[in-house]
Amino acid sequence: MNLEASPAQNATILLVDDDPNLVLLVKDYLEMQGYRVLTAAHGNEGLAILQQQTPDLIICDVMMPQMDGYSFVSAVRQQTHLSWLPVLFLSAKGQTHDRIKGLQTGGDVYLVKPFEPDELLAQIQALLKQTARLREAQGLQTPPVPTPPPGVELTPTETRILQYVARGMSNREIAAELHVSQRTVESHVSNMLGKTGCHNRTELARWAIDYHYV
């Protein structure tokens, strides 16, 4: 779709928020602007929707029952075929450290409630245009889906670490990125070497590319 010409054309937005009044207002407003809006009351429900449909953008609250926004977005970012999705956080938590955490967790934009509808719309349009440009530059018509050989199953954490390995990041750099110990990363890499039959990180990176993990 040509988002540059018309950001709302055929664009689908997943709105994840436990406030029914806000959901109703935002959904009605965005649908009036030409968007299709899917809704979920918490992160678990959002993930269930993503198993069936892939939207063009996610709008997500932070404080929700069952699964909060940070956990939800982290789960989305760990799935290669969804990791490209732009994410806009909406939250009543407006302190600097809250904004930083939201962006570090995987959000692209962090808006504080209450917000102006026009600002929300402008941020959505900007994110959709940016994503369209990036995907066009990468020559991607659809996000790549991992196709590992039969019998090889990687956990979400292993998949994320594998993507970092394929980018040439060291275990120390990966540990810092994921906020875990270097030993934990080394353990995951060792497990993946065993699962894939690779002998070293170079072969593992090549394997990730061959089977569309990056």
Side-chain angles (χ1 to χ4, degrees):
M1 57 188 168
N2 184 2
L3 296 180
E4 282 288 338
S6 178
Q9 184 179 5
N10 297 325
T12 298
I13 295 174
L14 173 59
L15 173 60
V16 187
D17 198 301
D18 65 328
D19 182 342
N21 292 325
L22 183 140
V23 168
L24 180 62
L25 290 173
V26 172
K27 184 175 187 295
D28 285 350
Y29 177 74
L30 293 181
E31 287 180 343
M32 289 180 61
Q33 305 301 320
Y35 295 96
R36 175 172 176 256
V37 181
L38 308 173
T39 63
H42 50 75
N44 285 330
E45 188 175 341
L47 291 178
I49 291 175
L50 290 174
Q51 291 179 356
Q52 304 297 325
Q53 302 184 61
T54 301
D56 298 281
L57 180 143
I58 295 173
I59 299 176
C60 183
D61 189 16
V62 171
M63 300 178 65
M64 296 181 291
Q66 298 193 34
M67 177 183 284
D68 65 19
Y70 296 142
S71 299
F72 168 67
V73 173
S74 293
V76 171
R77 293 296 185 227
Q78 289 175 8
Q79 302 182 55
T80 306
H81 66 293
L82 299 175
S83 62
W84 61 275
L85 284 171
V87 174
L88 190 157
F89 272 122
L90 293 179
S91 177
K93 302 175 68 175
Q95 298 296 318
T96 299
H97 68 271
D98 295 317
R99 295 172 181 267
I100 292 174
K101 183 176 181 180
L103 297 175
Q104 289 180 335
T105 301
D108 297 290
V109 171
Y110 193 105
L111 283 183
V112 178
K113 301 175 183 177
F115 53 87
E116 292 294 332
D118 288 348
E119 182 181 7
L120 174 63
L121 180 63
Q123 293 286 5
I124 289 171
Q125 292 174 337
L127 283 174
L128 290 174
K129 289 179 180 179
Q130 181 182 31
T131 302
R133 286 194 295 267
L134 289 174
R135 292 177 65 185
E136 182 178 358
Q138 295 170 354
L140 298 177
Q141 297 302 316
T142 56
V145 178
T147 55
V152 178
E153 294 185 7
L154 302 183
T155 67
T157 299
E158 287 174 341
T159 297
R160 192 172 186 186
I161 291 175
L162 177 63
Q163 293 167 348
Y164 288 137
V165 169
R167 296 173 192 169
M169 294 176 63
S170 68
N171 288 346
R172 178 179 297 180
E173 291 171 329
I174 296 172
E177 182 73 21
L178 298 180
H179 305 290
V180 299
S181 70
Q182 186 172 334
R183 181 172 296 180
T184 296
V185 175
E186 291 170 351
S187 177
H188 283 299
V189 171
S190 178
N191 287 340
M192 287 189 288
L193 290 174
K195 288 181 178 181
T196 61
C198 297
H199 298 91
N200 52 54
R201 290 170 62 90
T202 300
E203 290 184 8
L204 189 60
R206 182 73 258 174
W207 187 93
I209 295 171
D210 289 343
Y211 290 102
H212 308 297
Y213 279 87
V214 291

